Short mmCIF file of all heavy atoms in Angstrom, two decimals:
data_model
loop_
_atom_site.label_atom_id
_atom_site.label_comp_id
_atom_site.label_asym_id
_atom_site.label_seq_id
_atom_site.Cartn_x
_atom_site.Cartn_y
_atom_site.Cartn_z
N TYR A 20 91.56 26.44 186.39
CA TYR A 20 92.07 25.14 186.72
C TYR A 20 91.55 24.12 185.72
O TYR A 20 90.52 24.34 185.05
CB TYR A 20 91.73 24.72 188.16
CG TYR A 20 90.38 24.14 188.25
CD1 TYR A 20 90.18 22.78 188.28
CD2 TYR A 20 89.23 24.98 188.31
CE1 TYR A 20 88.90 22.24 188.34
CE2 TYR A 20 87.99 24.45 188.37
CZ TYR A 20 87.82 23.08 188.40
OH TYR A 20 86.57 22.55 188.41
N GLY A 21 92.23 23.01 185.58
CA GLY A 21 91.73 21.92 184.73
C GLY A 21 92.52 20.68 185.01
O GLY A 21 93.59 20.67 185.63
N GLU A 22 91.95 19.55 184.62
CA GLU A 22 92.57 18.25 184.86
C GLU A 22 93.00 17.62 183.54
O GLU A 22 92.39 17.77 182.51
CB GLU A 22 91.60 17.29 185.56
CG GLU A 22 91.26 17.65 186.98
CD GLU A 22 90.13 18.67 187.12
OE1 GLU A 22 89.31 18.73 186.18
OE2 GLU A 22 90.05 19.43 188.11
N MET A 23 94.09 16.84 183.63
CA MET A 23 94.56 16.03 182.51
C MET A 23 95.15 14.75 183.02
O MET A 23 95.40 14.60 184.21
CB MET A 23 95.54 16.81 181.62
CG MET A 23 96.81 17.28 182.33
SD MET A 23 98.16 16.03 182.21
CE MET A 23 98.50 16.09 180.46
N GLU A 24 95.39 13.81 182.10
CA GLU A 24 95.95 12.51 182.49
C GLU A 24 97.26 12.27 181.73
O GLU A 24 97.37 12.58 180.54
CB GLU A 24 94.94 11.41 182.14
CG GLU A 24 95.41 10.01 182.51
CD GLU A 24 94.39 8.90 182.12
OE1 GLU A 24 93.27 9.28 181.84
OE2 GLU A 24 94.82 7.74 182.09
N TRP A 25 98.27 11.75 182.46
CA TRP A 25 99.49 11.39 181.81
C TRP A 25 99.98 10.06 182.46
O TRP A 25 100.16 9.93 183.61
CB TRP A 25 100.57 12.47 182.06
CG TRP A 25 101.86 12.22 181.39
CD1 TRP A 25 103.07 11.89 181.93
CD2 TRP A 25 102.14 12.29 180.00
NE1 TRP A 25 104.03 11.73 181.02
CE2 TRP A 25 103.50 11.96 179.78
CE3 TRP A 25 101.34 12.54 178.85
CZ2 TRP A 25 104.10 11.93 178.51
CZ3 TRP A 25 101.93 12.51 177.58
CH2 TRP A 25 103.30 12.22 177.43
N LEU A 26 100.11 9.04 181.57
CA LEU A 26 100.50 7.70 181.96
C LEU A 26 99.63 7.13 183.08
O LEU A 26 100.06 6.48 184.00
CB LEU A 26 101.97 7.70 182.39
CG LEU A 26 102.99 8.18 181.33
CD1 LEU A 26 104.42 8.10 181.88
CD2 LEU A 26 102.88 7.33 180.08
N GLY A 27 98.32 7.44 182.98
CA GLY A 27 97.37 6.92 183.92
C GLY A 27 97.22 7.74 185.19
O GLY A 27 96.33 7.43 186.01
N HIS A 28 98.02 8.75 185.37
CA HIS A 28 97.94 9.60 186.54
C HIS A 28 97.21 10.90 186.22
O HIS A 28 97.48 11.54 185.21
CB HIS A 28 99.35 9.94 187.08
CG HIS A 28 100.15 8.75 187.52
ND1 HIS A 28 99.96 8.19 188.77
CD2 HIS A 28 101.09 8.02 186.89
CE1 HIS A 28 100.77 7.17 188.89
NE2 HIS A 28 101.48 7.04 187.77
N HIS A 29 96.26 11.26 187.07
CA HIS A 29 95.47 12.46 186.87
C HIS A 29 96.12 13.64 187.61
O HIS A 29 96.47 13.55 188.78
CB HIS A 29 94.05 12.24 187.39
CG HIS A 29 93.29 11.23 186.60
ND1 HIS A 29 92.52 11.58 185.48
CD2 HIS A 29 93.17 9.90 186.75
CE1 HIS A 29 91.99 10.48 184.97
NE2 HIS A 29 92.35 9.44 185.72
N LEU A 30 96.28 14.73 186.85
CA LEU A 30 96.96 15.91 187.40
C LEU A 30 96.02 17.11 187.25
O LEU A 30 95.33 17.26 186.27
CB LEU A 30 98.22 16.19 186.60
CG LEU A 30 99.23 15.02 186.49
CD1 LEU A 30 100.38 15.43 185.55
CD2 LEU A 30 99.78 14.61 187.86
N THR A 31 96.04 17.99 188.26
CA THR A 31 95.30 19.25 188.24
C THR A 31 96.26 20.43 188.02
O THR A 31 97.16 20.63 188.82
CB THR A 31 94.50 19.45 189.53
OG1 THR A 31 93.52 18.44 189.64
CG2 THR A 31 93.78 20.82 189.49
N PHE A 32 96.05 21.18 186.93
CA PHE A 32 96.91 22.33 186.63
C PHE A 32 96.11 23.60 186.95
O PHE A 32 94.91 23.66 186.76
CB PHE A 32 97.28 22.37 185.17
CG PHE A 32 98.38 21.44 184.79
CD1 PHE A 32 98.10 20.11 184.41
CD2 PHE A 32 99.75 21.81 184.86
CE1 PHE A 32 99.12 19.25 184.09
CE2 PHE A 32 100.74 20.96 184.53
CZ PHE A 32 100.45 19.65 184.14
N ILE A 33 96.82 24.58 187.49
CA ILE A 33 96.24 25.90 187.73
C ILE A 33 97.03 26.93 186.98
O ILE A 33 98.23 27.08 187.12
CB ILE A 33 96.26 26.25 189.24
CG1 ILE A 33 95.46 25.22 190.03
CG2 ILE A 33 95.64 27.67 189.45
CD1 ILE A 33 95.54 25.47 191.53
N ASP A 34 96.32 27.69 186.14
CA ASP A 34 96.89 28.80 185.37
C ASP A 34 96.76 30.07 186.19
O ASP A 34 95.63 30.44 186.61
CB ASP A 34 96.21 28.96 184.02
CG ASP A 34 96.79 30.04 183.19
OD1 ASP A 34 97.99 30.38 183.39
OD2 ASP A 34 96.10 30.55 182.28
N THR A 35 97.81 30.78 186.48
CA THR A 35 97.77 31.96 187.29
C THR A 35 98.03 33.20 186.49
O THR A 35 98.56 33.13 185.36
CB THR A 35 98.79 31.92 188.45
OG1 THR A 35 100.12 31.97 187.90
CG2 THR A 35 98.60 30.63 189.27
N GLY A 36 97.67 34.33 186.98
CA GLY A 36 97.95 35.60 186.28
C GLY A 36 99.42 35.98 186.34
O GLY A 36 100.19 35.46 187.18
N GLY A 37 99.81 36.86 185.46
CA GLY A 37 101.22 37.28 185.40
C GLY A 37 101.66 37.95 186.68
O GLY A 37 101.04 38.90 187.16
N TYR A 38 102.79 37.53 187.21
CA TYR A 38 103.32 37.99 188.46
C TYR A 38 104.23 39.23 188.21
O TYR A 38 105.25 39.10 187.51
CB TYR A 38 104.09 36.87 189.16
CG TYR A 38 104.53 37.20 190.57
CD1 TYR A 38 103.71 36.83 191.63
CD2 TYR A 38 105.71 37.82 190.84
CE1 TYR A 38 104.13 37.08 192.97
CE2 TYR A 38 106.13 38.09 192.14
CZ TYR A 38 105.31 37.72 193.18
OH TYR A 38 105.73 37.99 194.48
N ILE A 39 103.85 40.37 188.77
CA ILE A 39 104.63 41.59 188.63
C ILE A 39 104.96 42.09 190.04
O ILE A 39 104.22 42.86 190.63
CB ILE A 39 103.87 42.66 187.85
CG1 ILE A 39 103.35 42.10 186.53
CG2 ILE A 39 104.80 43.89 187.57
CD1 ILE A 39 102.53 43.08 185.77
N PRO A 40 106.09 41.70 190.64
CA PRO A 40 106.36 41.99 192.05
C PRO A 40 106.53 43.47 192.35
O PRO A 40 106.18 43.94 193.42
CB PRO A 40 107.68 41.26 192.33
CG PRO A 40 108.16 40.79 191.07
CD PRO A 40 107.11 40.84 190.03
N GLU A 41 106.97 44.26 191.37
CA GLU A 41 107.29 45.63 191.66
C GLU A 41 106.10 46.58 191.38
O GLU A 41 106.19 47.79 191.65
CB GLU A 41 108.52 46.10 190.84
CG GLU A 41 108.26 46.16 189.31
CD GLU A 41 108.56 44.80 188.66
OE1 GLU A 41 108.60 43.81 189.37
OE2 GLU A 41 108.72 44.77 187.41
N ASP A 42 105.02 46.07 190.88
CA ASP A 42 103.87 46.87 190.50
C ASP A 42 102.97 47.07 191.69
O ASP A 42 102.59 46.14 192.38
CB ASP A 42 103.09 46.22 189.36
CG ASP A 42 102.20 47.21 188.62
OD1 ASP A 42 101.50 47.98 189.28
OD2 ASP A 42 102.19 47.16 187.36
N VAL A 43 102.60 48.32 191.97
CA VAL A 43 101.74 48.63 193.11
C VAL A 43 100.31 48.81 192.73
O VAL A 43 99.46 49.07 193.57
CB VAL A 43 102.28 49.88 193.86
CG1 VAL A 43 103.63 49.65 194.45
CG2 VAL A 43 102.26 51.10 192.94
N ASP A 44 99.98 48.69 191.41
CA ASP A 44 98.60 48.80 190.98
C ASP A 44 97.74 47.80 191.74
O ASP A 44 98.13 46.66 191.96
CB ASP A 44 98.52 48.53 189.47
CG ASP A 44 97.13 48.52 188.95
OD1 ASP A 44 96.57 49.62 188.73
OD2 ASP A 44 96.54 47.46 188.82
N ILE A 45 96.55 48.22 192.15
CA ILE A 45 95.72 47.37 193.04
C ILE A 45 95.35 46.08 192.32
O ILE A 45 95.27 45.03 192.93
CB ILE A 45 94.47 48.16 193.50
CG1 ILE A 45 93.72 47.35 194.52
CG2 ILE A 45 93.57 48.51 192.33
CD1 ILE A 45 92.64 48.15 195.25
N PHE A 46 95.07 46.15 190.99
CA PHE A 46 94.70 44.94 190.30
C PHE A 46 95.84 43.96 190.26
O PHE A 46 95.71 42.75 190.55
CB PHE A 46 94.22 45.24 188.88
CG PHE A 46 94.12 44.05 187.99
CD1 PHE A 46 93.08 43.15 188.17
CD2 PHE A 46 95.05 43.78 187.01
CE1 PHE A 46 93.00 41.99 187.39
CE2 PHE A 46 94.98 42.66 186.24
CZ PHE A 46 93.95 41.75 186.43
N ASN A 47 97.05 44.45 189.88
CA ASN A 47 98.20 43.57 189.83
C ASN A 47 98.58 43.04 191.22
O ASN A 47 99.08 41.93 191.33
CB ASN A 47 99.41 44.31 189.21
CG ASN A 47 99.23 44.47 187.70
OD1 ASN A 47 98.74 43.59 187.01
ND2 ASN A 47 99.68 45.61 187.21
N LYS A 48 98.26 43.80 192.22
CA LYS A 48 98.48 43.32 193.58
C LYS A 48 97.60 42.13 193.85
O LYS A 48 98.07 41.16 194.48
CB LYS A 48 98.19 44.45 194.60
CG LYS A 48 98.44 44.06 196.04
CD LYS A 48 98.17 45.20 197.01
CE LYS A 48 98.42 44.78 198.45
NZ LYS A 48 98.06 45.90 199.36
N ALA A 49 96.37 42.16 193.42
CA ALA A 49 95.43 41.07 193.63
C ALA A 49 95.93 39.78 192.87
O ALA A 49 95.89 38.67 193.41
CB ALA A 49 94.02 41.42 193.18
N VAL A 50 96.40 40.01 191.60
CA VAL A 50 96.91 38.88 190.83
C VAL A 50 98.13 38.32 191.52
O VAL A 50 98.30 37.09 191.60
CB VAL A 50 97.29 39.38 189.42
CG1 VAL A 50 98.01 38.28 188.65
CG2 VAL A 50 96.05 39.76 188.65
N ARG A 51 98.97 39.19 192.08
CA ARG A 51 100.19 38.73 192.75
C ARG A 51 99.84 37.90 193.98
O ARG A 51 100.45 36.89 194.26
CB ARG A 51 101.00 39.97 193.14
CG ARG A 51 102.37 39.68 193.68
CD ARG A 51 103.27 40.91 193.62
NE ARG A 51 102.74 42.03 194.37
CZ ARG A 51 102.27 43.15 193.83
NH1 ARG A 51 102.26 43.29 192.53
NH2 ARG A 51 101.84 44.16 194.59
N GLN A 52 98.82 38.31 194.73
CA GLN A 52 98.40 37.57 195.90
C GLN A 52 97.86 36.20 195.51
O GLN A 52 98.12 35.21 196.19
CB GLN A 52 97.33 38.37 196.64
CG GLN A 52 97.87 39.58 197.35
CD GLN A 52 96.78 40.43 197.97
OE1 GLN A 52 95.57 40.31 197.60
NE2 GLN A 52 97.12 41.28 198.92
N GLN A 53 97.15 36.15 194.41
CA GLN A 53 96.61 34.83 193.98
C GLN A 53 97.74 33.94 193.51
O GLN A 53 97.69 32.69 193.72
CB GLN A 53 95.56 35.03 192.90
CG GLN A 53 94.27 35.64 193.42
CD GLN A 53 93.09 35.41 192.57
OE1 GLN A 53 93.15 34.64 191.62
NE2 GLN A 53 91.96 36.00 192.89
N ALA A 54 98.74 34.48 192.83
CA ALA A 54 99.89 33.66 192.45
C ALA A 54 100.60 33.11 193.65
O ALA A 54 101.04 31.95 193.70
CB ALA A 54 100.86 34.50 191.59
N GLN A 55 100.74 33.93 194.69
CA GLN A 55 101.37 33.53 195.92
C GLN A 55 100.54 32.42 196.60
O GLN A 55 101.09 31.45 197.16
CB GLN A 55 101.55 34.70 196.83
CG GLN A 55 102.62 35.67 196.34
CD GLN A 55 102.61 37.00 197.14
OE1 GLN A 55 101.66 37.28 197.85
NE2 GLN A 55 103.60 37.80 196.94
N SER A 56 99.21 32.53 196.54
CA SER A 56 98.35 31.54 197.11
C SER A 56 98.43 30.23 196.33
O SER A 56 98.38 29.13 196.87
CB SER A 56 96.90 32.02 197.12
OG SER A 56 96.72 33.06 198.04
N ALA A 57 98.62 30.33 195.01
CA ALA A 57 98.77 29.16 194.17
C ALA A 57 100.03 28.38 194.57
O ALA A 57 100.02 27.15 194.66
CB ALA A 57 98.85 29.54 192.69
N ILE A 58 101.09 29.11 194.88
CA ILE A 58 102.34 28.46 195.31
C ILE A 58 102.13 27.74 196.63
O ILE A 58 102.58 26.60 196.85
CB ILE A 58 103.47 29.51 195.43
CG1 ILE A 58 103.86 30.03 194.05
CG2 ILE A 58 104.66 28.93 196.16
CD1 ILE A 58 104.79 31.18 194.04
#
């Protein structure tokens, strides 16, 4: 996560891992869950 300013307004951006819905690999599953939580 990180913060930036645009026209005086402060915004927090979150970079998420690549979303692979069809992948059943346990790691990609965890990344997918975190992307869903980000949403």
Side-chain angles (χ1 to χ4, degrees):
Y20 82 99
E22 292 85 24
M23 60 91 67
E24 181 183 344
W25 184 250
L26 301 180
H28 296 280
H29 294 271
L30 308 172
T31 296
F32 283 89
I33 301 175
D34 183 23
T35 68
Y38 189 94
I39 310 176
E41 66 273 17
D42 199 314
V43 296
D44 176 80
I45 188 168
F46 168 73
N47 286 324
K48 183 179 179 181
V50 172
R51 188 161 61 249
Q52 288 174 341
Q53 291 201 8
Q55 291 168 347
S56 293
I58 292 172

